[in-house]
Each structure stands twice: as structure tokens, then as C-alpha cells.
Amino acid sequence: MNPMESRIILGCMRIAALEATELRQLVETSLAEGVNFFDHADVYGKGRCEELFGEILAGNPGLRENIVIQTKCGIRPGLYDFSKEHILRSVEQSLRRLKTDYVDVLLLHRPDTLMEPEEVAEAFTTLEAAGKVRWFGVSNHHVMHIELLQKWLPQKLRFNQLQFGPAHTGIIDAGINVNLYNDRAVDRDGGILEYCRLKGITIQAWSPLQFGFFKGVFLGHPDYAELNRVLERIGEEQGVTPAAVAIAWILRHPAQMQVVVGTTNACRVKELSQAEQVSLTREQWYEIYRAAGNKLP
Ligand SMILES: NC(=O)c1ccc[n+]([C@@H]2O[C@H](COP(=O)([O-])OP(=O)(O)OC[C@H]3O[C@@H](n4cnc5c(N)ncnc54)[C@H](OP(=O)(O)O)[C@@H]3O)[C@@H](O)[C@H]2O)c1
């Protein structure tokens, strides 16, 4: 990871409903807490999230070069589209909305099975040569998607954004349950965690506090009573909130992941950023994993 990139990323998927003053406060608090990496996508709020963020940038000369802006492309209504034409058009529109000349990182949002890797390579090379994108990555991609892309791309894919948190542990379950017949032994991601570690690809854990696919936040949820009890107890011991312990649980993994938090509340950013000061023992880490309902073989 570049030293400029914070390990906690502020996800901007939910900012569309914020007033300009609230968003300014969210961004200012993030920066004050050392969170300088902001995650967008062309589709968040149908472009509104990038637009609002662009207004903050326009009103704060000097801010742009002190932050890392990431956006994504490739999702269209009812389909995925990694064609050269779509990638180039999407980035142009994102730059216009964000009111900037470049994004630091561009991710391909969800695998497009009709992808032609040669076309993606042409699009990335055009964007890189024009100074419109500095680094590239993917999101929700498994090992062979990355291998296929990387065969043609001259650029190294530096990031893979994947859902991961105490209540969504798919990327580690199969590795813990190797050689067993239970459901958790099913390898749904092709060993993506180990692959990213081997290749030096930083995993960005999205929706760290959610369970299921946007089913809700596990904090305070009755289905996760044991997990909440353990997070609260460790939080009390370390003087932080249960949410911060949950984020610390992700940061503690030796894969050195980044965590994409999606709060729109400046006070919560402050609380969550305390995660970087929490140190979890191996015993506590596995206790949290088990408390979320996972069994060790
Ligand atoms: N690559 C992908 O496919 C993909 C998919 C989904 C998301 N993402 C990225 O990941 C980011 C995070 O996703 P997410 O928003 O689902 O993540 P999250 O951080 O797990 O959830 C944030 C949501 O939880 C709420 N929340 C309730 N209690 C909270 C507490 N104590 N602390 C913090 N938040 C609490 C927040 O409400 P308040 O706002 O009121 O705090 C907010 O609605 C997105 O913004 C986006 O950038 C990527």
C-alpha cells in the first residue's frame, strides 16, 4: 500500500441524501481522523454521490491533492459492461461529476462475463496515458478473473474490493474448513484471500458491519446477540465502541486489508477510526469469529 492511503476508507455510497454542510463535516472529520481515502462508484445515487463530493472539492482548493479518490465502473442497469467504450465514457462522466482531472484508483465493479480483456487493457492504457487514472483494481473478482485480466493488462491490479466483516466471512471460511463436507468448506471465491496476499493485491473489505447482502447491521441485532456481547466486552476493555472492535477485527488480519466504512455520520467516523488503536490477541480474534456463529472444525 502507498503510505498516502489510509487503512480506513470512507465509502460514499450512502451520501446522496446529505446536505452540503453535513457532507463537508463528514469529509473534514474523516481527514482529521486520518481517513484520506474516499470510495465512489458511477452508480452510487445514480451519480449524485460523486456530484455532491465534487461540490466539496470545488469549494476546497488544495483538498484534491491531499486525498485519494477511488471510483468504479462496469455496472449498467440490468447488465455488466467492461467494453472499452463504456469504461472510457463512465470515467469521463465520473471526472465531470467529481470536478477533478483524475481519479487515483479505478475499479471494475462486478465481473462482466462478456469481458474481452484486450479491450479492458486498451481502455486502462488510454486512461493512464491521459493522466486520468493513476492505479487500477477490481471489485468482487475471483482468482481466475484477475488472472485473465492480468494476462493482457500492462497495469498491475492493486486492489480487490470484497465483502468481509465479522458477519460475512466467506473469504476465510473455506480456508478454515478445508477437506470437510460442511457448507462452509465450499470454496466460492477460489482462494481469493490467499491469492491476493500472494500477489500483493490489497483487499478492501466493503460493508464491514452488515450481514447477508444488505440485510442489515449486525450491531444490536438479536440474531447476533453473542457477537454483540463479545464486541461490547472487548470494547469496554479497550475503551472503544463495539463497532470499532468489529473494524479492528478486519484490520487485525495479516492480509493487511483496508476497510470501507459506509457511515454518513461524522461522530461515527470518529468512533470507527479508533479501531486503528485497538490490538486484538489471537484468542480475541477467534472468539469474535466464533461468536458470529462460525464453528471451528
Ligand atoms: N464493491 C461493492 O460491490 C460494494 C458494495 C457495497 C458497498 N461498497 C462500498 O462499501 C461502503 C460501505 O458499505 P456499507 O455502507 O454497506 O457499510 P457499513 O459500514 O457496513 O454500513 C454502514 C451503514 O450502517 C449504519 N450503521 C448503523 N449503526 C452503525 C454504527 N454503529 N457505526 C457505523 N455505521 C452504522 C450506517 O448508518 P449511518 O450512516 O446513520 O451511520 C450506514 O447506513 C459503501 O459506501 C461503498 O463505498 C462496495
Side-chain angles (χ1 to χ4, degrees), residues 79-290:
L79 66 147
Y80 302 116
D81 190 347
F82 289 2
S83 64
K84 178 181 174 185
E85 188 194 14
H86 178 70
I87 293 171
L88 295 178
R89 188 176 49 231
S90 170
V91 171
E92 286 304 333
Q93 289 170 348
S94 288
L95 294 177
R96 206 168 311 130
R97 287 190 292 259
L98 286 163
K99 296 189 171 52
T100 180
D101 299 333
Y102 69 100
V103 288
D104 299 278
V105 187
L106 176 70
L107 305 184
L108 297 171
H109 206 155
R110 266 201 178 271
D112 169 17
T113 193
L114 301 182
M115 163 186 82
E116 305 280 1
E118 301 92 324
E119 268 195 70
V120 177
E122 280 180 34
F124 280 13
T125 301
T126 302
L127 291 167
E128 188 180 47
K132 292 179 178 174
V133 177
R134 295 174 72 190
W135 304 309
F136 298 88
V138 291
S139 165
N140 307 304
H141 278 54
H142 74 45
V143 172
M144 295 313 283
H145 292 132
I146 297 175
E147 284 286 309
L148 180 61
L149 275 165
Q150 210 63 91
K151 180 168 160 55
W152 275 273
L153 289 180
Q155 301 80 10
K156 177 180 160 46
L157 293 170
R158 295 189 44 176
F159 303 95
N160 190 10
Q161 200 170 101
L162 297 161
Q163 186 174 4
F164 182 63
H168 192 100
T169 51
I171 61 170
I172 55 174
D173 294 340
I176 288 177
N177 288 275
V178 169
N179 223 9
L180 297 172
Y181 283 102
N182 65 41
D183 183 50
R184 303 215 159 225
V186 177
D187 183 357
R188 296 181 172 86
D189 313 296
I192 191 66
L193 174 73
E194 291 74 16
Y195 175 81
C196 287
R197 290 183 74 179
L198 275 169
K199 297 286 181 180
I201 298 171
T202 302
I203 293 177
Q204 299 179 339
W206 60 261
S207 289
L209 303 176
Q210 310 281 317
F211 60 94
F213 189 64
F214 298 114
K215 280 193 174 162
V217 176
F218 60 75
L219 295 166
H221 195 284
D223 289 356
Y224 289 91
E226 182 57 17
L227 176 60
N228 279 291
R229 254 195 301 278
V230 171
L231 294 174
E232 247 163 64
R233 195 200 72 230
I234 297 174
E236 269 169 29
E237 286 164 12
Q238 304 226 11
V240 299
T241 62
V245 179
I247 301 302
W249 184 82
I250 300 171
L251 295 176
R252 166 69 175 81
H253 194 283
Q256 293 285 309
M257 298 180 212
Q258 290 177 295
V259 185
V260 196
V261 302
T263 184
T264 54
N265 177 320
C267 297
R268 282 183 171 157
V269 170
K270 227 175 153 94
E271 285 171 19
L272 297 176
S273 65
Q274 298 292 308
E276 299 208 60
Q277 272 74 60
V278 173
S279 64
L280 295 177
T281 62
R282 188 175 290 268
E283 285 75 10
Q284 288 169 326
W285 196 91
Y286 276 102
E287 186 184 9
I288 292 170
Y289 180 70
R290 285 185 281 109

Side-chain angles (χ1 to χ4, degrees), residues 55-87:
E55 282 160 26
I56 298 289
L57 286 179
N60 290 272
L63 176 60
R64 177 65 192 93
E65 52 270 30
N66 292 312
I67 63 174
V68 179
I69 299 182
Q70 170 170 278
T71 194
K72 314 185 197 74
C73 67
I75 298 183
R76 288 176 50 201
L79 66 147
Y80 302 116
D81 190 347
F82 289 2
S83 64
K84 178 181 174 185
E85 188 194 14
H86 178 70
I87 293 171

